[in-house]
Amino acid sequence: MRGLPLIGLLAARGFSLAGNAITLIVVPLYVLQDTGSVLATGVAGVFVTVPVILGGAFGGVLVDRLGFRLSAIIADLASGMTVLLIPLLAATVGLPFWALLTLVFLSGLLDTPGTTAKSALLPDLAEGARIRLPRASGAEAAISRSATLVGASAAALSLVWLGPVNSLLLNAATFAVSALLLWLCVPERGKKLAGQQIGPGNPRSGYWRDFSVGIRFLTLNPLLRNVVLLVMVTNCLDSAGLIVLFPVYARTVTPDGALLALMVAVFAGGALAGSSLFGWLGHRLPRRSTLVLCFLLAGTPPYVAMAAGVDTPILLTVFALAGLAAGSINPLLSTVLYEQVPREMRARVLGGMTTGVAAAMPIGSLLGGVAVSQAGLVPTLVAVGVVYAAIALTPLLGRSWGELNTRNFADSAVPLSASATATR
């Protein structure tokens, strides 16, 4: 079956992302329940988010040298083992706070290169299946949103039935299934699929040289530079919300914090619908105003609703509508990125953007814990909502943001003389 490798890859990605959603919900709730400290929850958030930065920046070199398929399988197995150790230690010798942080850090550090490897496999497998890359990318986005929805729903049920620590057994199982699917369905490196070699194109190129070229390209392109700064700040706020503020609020409404999983699930469901709507109507919308409106609706209303203490049905409705708005952000920015970045530089620039947009996430979770400890939950929610609104409006300022509505050819987006010199 020609499409089996692509189906296997997408299924593996779905299982691993669903497991990650479980961890993202369960770990903060466990720390909050075990320590009773909001600040400790913020510290745990740092150990959840820092590996994304380090793994994204440095893991690509290992992926290039080992190959995409093998890297993805090893990463899934290693991440699954570290997650599995958390409930095993808790049930036997005990789980000190430092041990939990270490295992969470290692799991994220190993998982991020695996995610990169799965993404790198997608174009080859889509071509082998004779499916257009935009369609395959759309399917990947839908799988990602659906996996978050399923993972959050599974977390809600497991928190009630298994408790926070034992819920991580589900995450370990998803990593095992992901590795098995990759091993069974995706061809080994060296095998050919529709005339295409499966594996990295040039595994021995210098990492630091390529990485520096990508960073330099970002600094020369005002639009991409502004996008990185915008998403970096909103990710900082989102990190504070998801890792600290949402769990603390959920514990004030439901003793076991199960409301958190419902909040994440309805947001993910709305985002799935939003991504689908953008794929249907996005090419007809003005990008600049759409981006501002989506960021504004996705960011501010949930914090305002929590601060106002609205009833749970209203709160979940607000989260669903916020997710609907958020669903258009990633495909819109991805479209702009592919138009702005030359094909031969795409991986390097993506690596630089991944590191940049994630750089402030640990700071956000830590500041969220400090703010709630010092000022209280409601003032912190109000402050984050106000800051989010102000940041969302920044694309209305400055001429460079006007390039959002310009359909550029990638090779003419930015003069390449400086970056070309850097590659020699």
Side-chain angles (χ1 to χ4, degrees), residues 51-416:
V52 177
I53 302 171
L54 299 179
F58 300 108
V61 177
L62 296 177
V63 172
D64 280 339
R65 278 143 180 78
L66 293 176
F68 303 146
R69 174 183 180 270
L70 181 59
S71 297
I73 293 174
I74 292 175
D76 280 341
L77 292 176
S79 297
M81 286 299 299
T82 54
V83 171
L84 182 60
L85 284 174
I86 295 176
L88 289 181
L89 290 177
T92 55
V93 298
L95 183 65
F97 186 54
W98 64 266
L100 173 66
L101 296 182
T102 301
L103 291 173
V104 167
F105 181 89
L106 289 176
S107 178
L109 188 66
L110 296 166
D111 179 56
T112 304
T115 302
T116 301
K118 293 185 184 77
S119 297
L121 278 168
L122 183 69
D124 290 335
L125 300 187
E127 186 173 354
R130 296 181 181 177
I131 294 176
R132 293 180 179 179
L133 185 57
R135 180 171 293 181
S137 298
E140 184 185 36
I143 289 291
S144 299
R145 296 295 188 183
S146 301
T148 302
L149 177 62
V150 171
S153 301
L157 295 175
S158 64
L159 283 169
V160 177
W161 292 343
L162 302 176
V165 176
N166 290 332
S167 297
L168 294 176
L169 294 171
L170 295 177
N171 189 10
T174 61
F175 278 121
V177 173
S178 176
L180 181 62
L181 286 169
L182 292 169
W183 181 62
L184 292 175
C185 300
V186 178
E188 296 179 13
R189 182 182 176 186
K191 292 185 178 180
K192 292 191 175 182
L193 184 62
Q196 295 298 318
Q197 187 81 14
I198 303 301
N202 184 13
R204 299 300 177 186
S205 60
Y207 170 79
W208 287 114
R209 180 177 61 184
D210 290 347
F211 187 77
S212 65
V213 169
I215 296 297
R216 190 168 186 178
F217 184 89
L218 286 176
T219 62
L220 291 176
N221 189 307
L223 177 58
L224 295 184
R225 186 173 64 242
N226 287 344
V227 167
V228 171
L229 292 174
L230 171 66
V231 179
M232 180 177 68
V233 176
T234 56
N235 278 350
C236 177
L237 298 174
D238 290 334
S239 179
L242 185 58
I243 296 177
V244 179
L245 303 182
F246 294 177
V248 173
Y249 176 84
R251 285 291 300 274
T252 65
V253 179
T254 54
D256 58 2
L259 177 62
L260 173 63
L262 294 177
M263 293 157 63
V264 174
V266 297
F267 186 93
L272 174 61
S275 298
S276 301
L277 286 175
F278 183 86
W280 180 33
L281 300 172
H283 64 284
R284 303 178 182 177
L285 301 175
R287 294 178 178 177
R288 192 175 187 177
S289 55
T290 299
L291 184 67
V292 171
L293 184 62
C294 288
F295 263 119
L296 193 63
L297 295 179
T300 299
Y303 296 99
V304 173
M306 287 187 291
V310 299
D311 294 337
T312 298
I314 297 177
L315 178 73
L316 295 179
T317 301
V318 170
F319 268 77
L321 294 176
L324 183 68
S328 297
I329 294 174
N330 282 346
L332 190 159
L333 293 180
S334 294
T335 301
V336 173
L337 175 66
Y338 291 136
E339 290 177 352
Q340 294 282 326
V341 181
R343 181 181 296 273
E344 66 272 14
M345 297 182 64
R346 188 172 294 165
R348 284 168 276 176
V349 175
L350 280 172
M353 292 190 73
T354 299
T355 300
V357 299
M361 292 174 64
I363 299 174
S365 61
L366 184 60
L367 290 180
V370 172
V372 173
S373 299
Q374 299 298 319
L377 178 60
V378 172
T380 303
L381 291 170
V382 172
V384 172
V386 171
V387 173
Y388 219 121
I391 296 300
L393 296 175
T394 56
L396 297 177
L397 307 174
R399 289 183 297 177
S400 62
W401 284 106
E403 296 181 24
L404 280 172
N405 292 326
T406 303
R407 273 65 173 175
N408 291 325
F409 292 103
D411 291 332
S412 62
V414 171
L416 297 180

